[in-house]
Amino acid sequence: MAYDLEEQEQIANFKAFWARFGNLISWVLIIALGSYAGYNFWNSHKRTQSAEAAALYDQLTEAAAANDNAKVQRMASDVESKFDGTAYGAMAALVAAKTAFDANDLKTAKAQLQWAADHGNDEYKSIARLRLSGVLLDEKAYDQALALLNGDFLPQFAAEVQDRKGDVLVAQNKLAEARTAYLAALDKMDKRNPGRQIVQIKLEAIGGTVPAEKAPA
């Protein structure tokens, strides 16, 4: 498909922006969502979570802080096998996925995210699938990423799903569809959400127009 010079410049500007800040933005959003989900899941299961699981998870996070990917993966496997019915299993998988991603071990990152998507509660499943779509985007597996994003997500993740769809569609040079996805993300996103500014930047970078806010009735 041919593009005029203005569209080509928009695509180039967007891709340069995303190449520089994309992974950072994605992880910041996912960490924030994960913290929120972890809080809710903790409250509903805290009476049944074991002291051993807590201790193992603490050691795992320490290994992650030290960027010891091999140790993180070993400990995550231990937590997942022993405590797959608790919040710690999915939490460990998400931490292990990030550590593997930072170590450029995308195969392991995808496996950990898939584990969380298969074993976590509905919130963790949504988070894991959202992050997995980002890894697939990095791998240029665009059709797989879109197929994943068209799956089941909790309603509170609707804006993030549309935002990620926009990212994938931009990578495919489907700018009209990407603009529609970013507009849908803004429509579903709370006006006070700081992520709105990021979506607006991406929308404008591909020639979209941020809708004017409606005046209160």
Side-chain angles (χ1 to χ4, degrees):
M1 183 181 296
Y3 296 95
D4 59 29
L5 292 177
E6 182 178 358
E7 286 182 319
Q8 291 176 6
E9 183 177 1
Q10 290 170 352
I11 294 171
N13 289 339
F14 178 85
K15 288 185 175 179
F17 169 84
W18 195 248
R20 185 175 180 185
F21 298 108
N23 285 332
L24 174 62
I25 291 169
S26 294
W27 278 116
V28 167
L29 291 176
I30 295 305
I31 289 169
L33 290 170
S35 298
Y36 176 76
Y39 173 79
N40 288 337
F41 203 81
W42 171 270
N43 282 339
S44 64
H45 290 275
K46 61 184 178 181
R47 292 184 179 180
T48 59
Q49 291 169 341
S50 71
E52 183 183 355
L56 282 173
Y57 182 75
D58 285 345
Q59 293 174 35
L60 184 150
T61 57
E62 289 176 3
N67 297 317
D68 190 341
N69 183 46
K71 185 175 182 179
V72 168
Q73 301 310 321
R74 289 196 303 271
M75 298 192 70
S77 178
D78 197 18
V79 174
E80 290 161 4
S81 63
K82 292 181 178 179
F83 306 103
D84 64 335
T86 73
Y88 287 109
M91 291 164 63
L94 290 176
V95 171
K98 183 182 184 305
T99 305
F101 183 87
D102 290 344
N104 201 31
D105 183 1
L106 298 187
K107 181 179 179 180
T108 300
K110 289 193 296 183
Q112 291 290 0
L113 290 168
Q114 188 62 59
W115 194 96
D118 291 339
H119 296 83
N121 74 336
D122 289 341
E123 286 175 308
Y124 277 125
K125 287 179 180 178
S126 294
I127 292 169
R129 289 168 182 163
L130 195 60
R131 184 58 194 132
L132 181 55
S133 71
V135 177
L136 292 170
L137 171 59
D138 290 339
E139 291 187 323
K140 297 181 170 51
Y142 305 134
D143 291 339
Q144 293 180 49
L146 287 175
L148 189 62
L149 292 166
N150 286 328
D152 293 330
F153 287 84
L154 289 178
Q156 59 263 41
F157 293 93
E160 286 76 14
V161 170
Q162 291 297 325
D163 180 28
R164 180 57 53 77
K165 282 184 179 179
D167 297 341
V168 177
L169 291 165
V170 168
Q172 293 179 305
N173 289 332
K174 297 179 180 179
L175 299 190
E177 294 177 56
R179 287 192 285 266
T180 298
Y182 287 141
L183 286 169
L186 290 172
D187 182 62
K188 297 176 183 298
M189 194 173 288
D190 188 278
K191 297 294 188 294
R192 295 167 294 181
N193 190 325
R196 287 183 64 87
Q197 294 183 344
I198 297 171
V199 179
Q200 290 172 359
I201 290 171
K202 292 191 286 187
L203 175 61
E204 292 174 341
I206 58 170
T209 301
V210 177
E213 294 187 12
K214 296 180 180 180

